[in-house]
């Protein structure tokens, strides 16, 4: 997996199967001077705020434009979890929340569910210990008074144990999870973030605690993506009769129009290995079975140009057991 350190999803995440593909991506990046200038402007807007002490901590290290990560085989049962935590100024870690990412048969992300449906109660202490140990080294290096988001893979073992495989850390909260956490737990990630950064107050009521205490609804964020379809308008790909009905009549909690209906799919959009996201649809459910049923029904209805993505078998089985 090749990742651009300044971009995400369609413009910066690539599944590389051979060296020819790798070199093609890198050549295209080197040739795109406009993109490089935009990335530099963004990075400079951050580093301009650095103090001399901040620069000293970097030790003169340049951030590489790309990093390579291993890929796991989802067919073996690996599940991706997105963990949220925060650190006070004295180095105390608060476990904040966790979300499960759903992938289709082509290994493209198609949704997020919180609380996670595949994570067993008996393994909560295991992931707490795993993240405590990982963050201990970063806390010593000065990672204090801020949120962080970690993506990890988990594999349930038959003996009740769980294996973890590290994916990445983002030195911030995942701001979009404000919506899912709010739907499932009635918490406020943005307010908790400000209270920590401004006043060094760690959150008292967290999605993590409510998950453990079974005080939650189930939030499902459904990603409506498109593969291919270069030159097509979004309105030609999706049925806005359904979308407008769901949104107007509050059949769903929220529809985020990440691409407007008159947007035309570009060549870069069409070639994206992760798919180009057109809509994010949030639903509130009372079980994971119901969430699966909603996700399958919405995906079946919303496309006028059908997509090849197929949900994993365990998700389809959840949908069939829904009441």
């Amino acid at each position: 997996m090749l990742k651009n350190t300044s971009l995400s999803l369609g413009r910066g995440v690539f599944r590389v199967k051979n060296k020819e593909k790798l070199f093609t991506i890198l050549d295209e990046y080197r040739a795109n001077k406009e993109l490089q200038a935009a990335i530099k402007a963004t990075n400079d807007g951050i580093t301009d705020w650095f103090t001399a002490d901040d620069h000293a901590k970097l030790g003169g290290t340049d951030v590489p434009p790309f990093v390579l990560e291993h890929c796991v085989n989802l067919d073996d049962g690996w599940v991706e979890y997105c963990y949220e935590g925060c650190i006070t100024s004295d180095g105390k870690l608060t476990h904040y929340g966790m979300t499960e990412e759903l992938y289709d048969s082509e290994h493209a992300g198609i949704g997020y569910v919180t609380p996670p449906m595949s994570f067993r109660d008996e393994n909560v202490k295991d992931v707490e210990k795993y993240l405590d140990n990982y963050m201990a080294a970063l806390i010593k290096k000065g990672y204090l008074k801020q949120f962080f988001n970690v993506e990890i893979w988990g594999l349930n073992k038959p003996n009740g144990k769980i294996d973890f495989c590290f994916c990445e850390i983002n030195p911030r909260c995942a701001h979009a999870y404000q919506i899912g956490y709010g739907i499932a737990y009635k918490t406020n990630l943005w307010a908790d973030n400000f209270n920590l950064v401004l006043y060094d107050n760690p959150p008292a009521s967290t999605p993590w605690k409510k998950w453990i205490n079974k005080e939650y609804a189930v939030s499902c964020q459904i990603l409506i993506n498109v593969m291919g379809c270069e030159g097509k308008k979004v309105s030609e790909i999706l049925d806005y009769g359904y979308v407008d009905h769901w949104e107007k009549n509050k059949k769903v909690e929220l529809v985020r129009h990440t691409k407007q209906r008159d947007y035309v799919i570009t060549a870069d959009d069409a070639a994206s290995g992760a798919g180009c996201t057109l809509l994010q649809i949030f639903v509130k459910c009372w079980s994971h079975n119901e969430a699966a049923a909603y996700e399958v029904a919405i995906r079946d209805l919303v496309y006028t140009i059908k997509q090849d993505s197929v949900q994993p078998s365990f998700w389809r089985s959840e949908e069939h057991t829904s009441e």
Side-chain angles (χ1 to χ4, degrees):
M1 190 70 75
L2 180 69
K3 288 189 175 182
N4 188 296
T5 53
S6 300
L7 302 172
S8 63
L9 294 181
R11 300 190 71 191
V13 180
F14 308 91
R15 191 164 50 151
V16 177
K17 295 184 178 181
N18 53 58
K19 65 180 182 180
E20 288 77 20
K21 176 68 173 178
L22 172 65
F23 294 150
T24 297
I25 294 168
L26 295 178
D27 288 343
E28 289 175 354
Y29 175 80
R30 293 187 185 105
N32 194 335
K33 303 300 182 183
E34 182 179 342
L35 175 61
Q36 292 179 54
I39 289 174
K40 184 178 186 303
T42 299
N43 292 344
D44 289 348
I46 297 170
T47 56
D48 285 348
W49 292 89
F50 280 18
T51 64
D53 183 55
D54 293 329
H55 284 290
K57 287 177 180 176
L58 289 177
T61 302
D62 291 327
V63 177
F66 285 93
V67 294
L68 280 168
E69 294 180 354
H70 58 270
C71 287
V72 299
N73 187 352
L74 299 186
D75 297 332
D76 291 339
W78 290 96
V79 176
E80 185 172 3
Y81 300 104
C82 305
Y83 165 95
E84 212 90 42
C86 63
I87 312 291
T88 56
S89 62
D90 61 357
K92 181 182 178 182
L93 189 157
T94 296
H95 300 292
Y96 189 83
M98 195 155 76
T99 299
E100 180 169 335
E101 184 164 2
L102 179 68
Y103 286 85
D104 67 13
S105 55
E106 295 300 312
H107 296 188
I110 57 175
Y112 296 90
V113 182
T114 189
M117 66 274 191
S118 301
F119 203 90
R120 299 176 299 206
D121 292 346
E122 60 265 32
N123 296 128
V124 170
K125 293 298 182 184
D126 296 315
V127 73
E128 289 179 343
K129 181 179 178 181
Y130 181 82
L131 269 303
D132 285 342
N133 291 338
Y134 178 82
M135 289 306 297
L138 293 181
I139 290 170
K140 288 181 181 179
K141 288 182 175 292
Y143 197 99
L144 302 170
K145 205 178 174 184
Q146 56 186 316
F147 269 76
F148 64 96
N149 174 269
V150 166
E151 297 179 20
I152 56 176
W153 297 95
L155 179 64
N156 290 331
K157 309 296 285 187
N159 61 0
K161 301 291 185 180
I162 185 170
D163 286 344
F164 294 114
C165 182
F166 192 84
C167 181
E168 67 182 38
I169 181 170
N170 299 298
R172 54 169 173 74
C173 68
H175 301 92
Y177 289 178
Q178 159 81 0
I179 302 168
Y181 288 150
I183 292 171
Y185 311 104
K186 299 182 179 178
T187 53
N188 192 320
L189 173 63
W190 295 346
D192 290 338
N193 191 22
F194 276 113
N195 285 332
L196 178 76
V197 173
L198 296 177
Y199 310 114
D200 200 23
N201 291 333
S205 177
T206 64
W208 196 271
K209 290 180 180 178
K210 293 192 173 189
W211 172 34
I212 292 173
N213 294 329
K214 310 297 184 187
E215 300 171 0
Y216 57 77
V218 175
S219 171
C220 184
Q221 176 187 352
I222 304 164
L223 302 181
I224 303 301
N225 303 326
V226 64
M227 299 280 194
C229 293
E230 179 183 354
K232 294 287 188 181
K233 285 186 178 180
V234 174
S235 58
E236 297 177 87
I237 300 168
L238 303 181
D239 188 334
Y240 276 89
Y242 283 119
V243 175
D244 292 339
H245 172 72
W246 297 332
E247 193 169 20
K248 179 181 178 181
N249 296 286
K250 307 297 183 184
K251 299 296 183 181
V252 297
E253 295 294 307
L254 177 68
V255 179
R256 293 184 71 190
H257 297 262
T258 53
K259 293 286 188 277
Q260 298 303 311
R261 64 188 72 195
D262 60 351
Y263 179 83
V264 178
I265 302 299
T266 67
D268 286 344
D269 295 331
S272 168
C276 176
T277 301
L278 309 180
L279 300 174
Q280 298 172 348
I281 300 177
F282 295 81
V283 295
K284 181 179 182 178
C285 306
W286 298 105
S287 70
H288 289 108
N289 294 342
E290 184 185 4
Y294 262 105
E295 189 277 333
V296 171
I298 286 174
R299 197 170 300 282
D300 286 348
L301 292 171
V302 76
Y303 289 103
T304 53
I305 298 178
K306 298 300 182 182
Q307 300 295 296
D308 294 332
S309 63
V310 177
Q311 297 90 342
S313 57
F314 79 88
W315 188 245
R316 281 283 184 175
S317 64
E318 289 273 351
E319 175 245 345
H320 287 310
T321 57
S322 172
E323 297 179 0

